[in-house]
Amino acid sequence: MDKDKQPDPTRRSLLKAAPLGLLTVAAAARAGAPEPEAPVAATPDPQQARGYHETEHIRRYYRTAAYW
């Protein structure tokens, strides 16, 4: 083959280095981003029932699911 038809090795090194450049840009963007604040938890309502409690729709399900 002729020397003119040989691939340019500098072109290949550019393609090999492209992912490293993308990682560098992503890391820099992440470092510059402000930290998100933790969400404030709502205080539970002491009047609200907790845990399992039977409501009308649960009683209706029990009636329709009964086999006897």
Side-chain angles (χ1 to χ4, degrees):
M1 289 199 148
D2 294 334
K3 278 269 191 195
D4 296 333
K5 296 192 181 207
Q6 292 290 328
D8 186 14
T10 56
R11 251 183 94 189
R12 292 185 182 204
S13 64
L14 174 69
L15 293 175
K16 288 179 185 176
L20 292 175
L22 291 175
L23 287 175
T24 305
V25 169
R30 174 79 173 138
E35 290 289 324
E37 292 185 22
V40 177
T43 56
D45 185 16
Q47 300 296 326
Q48 188 178 14
R50 289 195 173 153
Y52 177 80
H53 54 280
E54 238 180 74
T55 59
E56 183 56 37
H57 76 278
I58 292 175
R59 286 187 210 101
R60 188 176 333 119
Y61 170 76
Y62 287 156
R63 282 193 304 270
T64 58
Y67 291 109
W68 55 93

